[in-house]
Amino acid sequence: MKSYDVISTRANRIDTPDKATGKAVFVDDITLPGMLYGALLQSPHAHAKILSIDTSEAEKLPGVKAVITAKEAGQVKYGVSPARYDETVFAVDRVRYVGDEIAAVAATRLDIALEAVSRIQVEYEVLPAVFTVEDAVKDGAPQLHDEFKGNLCAEVHQEFGNVAEGLENSDIVITTEMKSKRQDGAFIEMQGCIAEYDNRGVLTLTSSTQVPHYVQRTVAMVLGMDVGKVRVKKPYVGAGFGIKAAANPMELACCMLARKTKKPVKMNFTREQVFMYGRARHRFHHTITTGAKKDGTLMALKHECWLDGGAYTSFGIATVYYTGSLLGGPYKLANMSYDGYRVYNNKPACGAQRGHGAVIARACFEQQLDMIAEKIGMDPLELRIKNMMETGDTTCNDLNMSSFGMAECIEAVRNGSDWDKKKGHMPPGKGIGMACGFFVSGAGYPIYRSDTFHGTVIVKLTEDGGTALVYTASAEIGQGSDTAFAMIAAEALGIPLENVRLASGDTDMGVDLGAYSSRQTLMTGHATKEAAENVRRQVLEVLAEQLNVAVEKMDIRNGFIEFDGDTPDFSTLRTRYIKEHRGWTDNPDSDKLTFKEASRIAFLERGSIVGTGKYKPHSLGGKFKGAAVGTSPAYGCSAQVAEVTVDMDTGQITIDKITDAHDCGKAINMTSVEGQMEGSISMGIGEAMHEEVIFDNQGRVLNDDLAEYKIVTTMDMPRVKTIVVESDEPNGPFGAKEVGEGAIMPTIPAILNAVYDAAGVRVYELPLTPERVFHAIQEYRERNKATA
Amino acid sequence: MKKLIQMTINDRAYEVAVEPNKTLADLIRYDLGLTGTKKGCDTGDCGACTVILNGDPVNSCLVLAVQADNAVIETIEGLSTDDGLHPLQQAFVEKGAIQCGFCTPGMILSAKNLLDKNPAPTEAEIREGISGNLCRCTGYQKIFEAIESTRS
Ligand code: FES
Ligand code: FES
């Protein structure tokens, strides 16, 4: 096996010294000369007709430079999936949720812009609104979008194998439901952006986004501009988790204001607006029936899910498909059916969030595995091992596991948590539970239908030969992708990490679909590797000419040229190099030819040494409708064990410990892999234990701040033991695949299974508030009394 | 009516005229250009805007600039020296305690305040000491490790 010099280490991240010292620039840290400040007018009503808009009082206010509404902005529809563009930047004649955008103002100061917004007069005719799936699908319910009768945004019906037969042949059949609540991304940096429009008609948008590429295309389409005249860049981004993975109306409004005023315009969401805009995890209601044989063999899975979608589609089409497709694994399962429904209502749209579509489905299903195990008297861990897919297996819905260290993950958490000693031997009130999960390493297809490359990368050597510059349009949003690509470039070139500089997040640097679906390490990583190898080859080709040695007889490692066999006389090259560097202090004196010398000579022979790389997945998936969603060139997988304490008198749950093993293929940066695992777990714990966006009966978010919307703090985060399981993914660069989302999959069901182990109760609704758990315990006690 | 105030930030004296409703966070960020101090909420919930004011950590979004008249303030920019990063900053880098980095300046200042007052905190004291600083990315594990590695 090849040994590596740069990857698979714990190298310090290249961006963190700047982040630790306050030097890292985020969008709101930027101030430009003459910059204006923008503000949005958003609907106070959940559902209303707009009868008239009068902006005259706003325009009169001194300092106001522009006011725009749908009248000027036009009615170009946009959204996430082209098949379902159902939004306009500003409401045309109807608002559909509290927060729907109606107008935008740019002024010399933010307080003036806000004052101007308050002076815009809108006459509404308030319409009846619906806020739940149940109400929205009733006969006679208010309709949100004329084209989608019954408020049905999307429905999916799939069957693989023969589920009826599978269930008939099962010895045990279990049906349960699972309900979750709407989440919020709760990234600490609110969305913000700055748009500039220059004298040559080029629009530059600097934004806190995960997806510069998609934002660029959306801006170009909505503003009617050439893609080449729109540049989108992201500075450092305070995370996104999926919510920042599409163009938002503020970005589009900001671009319009900048084009109109010819001045830079800055806009920010307040925390309240982050909640109002939504686009985070849907509220799911699953009903799953699973059948198994007495020996534990899984036979069939029947799945129905209703998704509370909110007012627009956003990522919803992909979500409703992912919800079904990602139950196809990680267990061998021949028969699976899925009926999914996404329903519109008058709340902010839901979208994608870490573990897109699949988290609650897994929470439901993995509980059932434990129930089956209990019924047949099998250790739940053994049941999982018995049914586990192996490397090379394909699910019934055509997802291929080209590498799959799932069994190794299970063994790792078994040992890491001392499972065998603890399971079945915990004192009353304490419990242990486990679950598994898997996730894509990048969506197999882009969001818009296209043959586009998913990532392109440029690597260029500086003329002195000392440094490799990597240019990628990918998005570092906190996950560590810049460092991963710098490491991949260094490894592929054969030079130390400190000799790589990297710039990213700018559509001028190429095409990259961005940070979503855990795609960048594999996809951008491939393109980076190819570009670096291209550069490496060019340098070696020049050396081959100069030294009369075949390219294949040379290698570059740690910044030195290594020769297969005898080292040829390279003194002429060294003399030439030193002459070029007269007066410099760092002339080479090693007995090995340095990469620096070689690449300077290459520059002298060929001019700038530039290599490009690109990546797109091979054709993936089956032929059925929706087959594309869930496909990926590779899948990461995890197993987790949770240990909990349940206070039987109050229903209070404490999570004592989580042990997590994740197969990420080859770990590019071990520390970053662990960081993704730990972060995923904290988000899973938040969703399991307390997160819930709560609305009043008018569709307004009640807990639109980080005090009342409770994410995990230092006080409730348990210690986590992370175990990185490495496999060799044939479709990944150096064998690497995802970790950013797969690691969240088992967290909630592992906790639920541990709660059952501790308290004897199953809870089918999240979050696990003390009241909910207490009631479950009460019922359980009643039941036991009754049967006693 | 603007009011003239004086303050010392990171050992440098400032004299500025401020509106009575301007927060210290906004003054530091937008008027003085010390953008290392972040704002994640503006309502005192996230801790990203933490600065050390007269020896105590505060959420600078909850403090009016005029209240900081004559104050001595330390922001993230004041931590590193000519010799390089402060040991806590270095530990955060080395332990991988930073992902998006938006919570980091506030987190490091809270940790520094904790260690200044209690050089050998227990795990519980560390959790308590930085409990006002939210981080959505890291799950706090590596932040604990970083702080633990610098306690005496
Ligand atoms: S910005 Fe001050 S606490 Fe969040
Ligand atoms: S590192 Fe992103 S919020 Fe802490």
Side-chain angles (χ1 to χ4, degrees), chain A residues 13 19 26 186-189 237-239 241 477-478 711, chain B residues 97-104 107 133-140 143:
Chain A
R13 282 175 56 159
K19 288 175 173 175
F26 294 80
F187 32 77
I188 308 298
E189 183 205 27
V237 171
F241 309 115
I477 59 167
I711 66 170
Chain B
I98 304 172
Q99 289 190 25
C100 80
F102 205 76
C103 70
T104 308
M107 196 67 87
N133 295 81
L134 298 177
C135 175
R136 186 61 151 170
C137 301
T138 63
Y140 306 106
I143 293 176

Side-chain angles (χ1 to χ4, degrees), chain A residues 12-13 15-17 19-22 24 26 28-29 183-190 237-239 241 266 271 353-354 477-479 671 674-676 678-679 682-683 691 705-707 709 711-715 717-720, chain B residues 29-30 35-43 45-46 48 76-77 80 85 89-90 92-96 98-105 108 123-124 126-128 130-131 133-142 144-145 148:
Chain A
N12 287 345
R13 282 175 56 159
D15 54 342
T16 51
K19 288 175 173 175
T21 51
F26 294 80
D28 190 44
D29 300 340
Q183 259 193 302
D184 184 82
F187 32 77
I188 308 298
E189 183 205 27
M190 289 94 70
V237 171
F241 309 115
K266 180 193 267 192
R271 182 54 66 182
Q353 186 171 335
R354 193 174 221 164
I477 59 167
Q479 76 283 48
T671 313
E674 291 166 358
Q676 286 304 302
E678 291 158 2
S682 86
M683 193 172 275
E691 290 183 36
D705 59 57
L706 295 175
Y709 182 84
I711 66 170
V712 168
T713 73
T714 56
M715 301 309 279
M717 184 68 195
R719 277 288 183 169
V720 172
Chain B
R29 284 180 51 74
Y30 306 123
T35 53
T37 301
K38 303 301 178 200
K39 288 201 302 177
C41 65
D42 243 349
T43 48
D45 299 319
C46 74
I76 193 69
E77 287 90 349
S80 49
L85 303 189
Q89 292 173 318
Q90 189 61 36
F92 268 61
V93 169
E94 279 172 13
K95 297 291 176 192
I98 304 172
Q99 289 190 25
C100 80
F102 205 76
C103 70
T104 308
I108 288 180
E123 180 181 324
I126 292 174
R127 285 174 181 267
E128 173 80 38
I130 57 169
S131 61
N133 295 81
L134 298 177
C135 175
R136 186 61 151 170
C137 301
T138 63
Y140 306 106
Q141 303 302 296
K142 298 198 183 300
F144 298 152
E145 282 168 35
E148 281 164 0

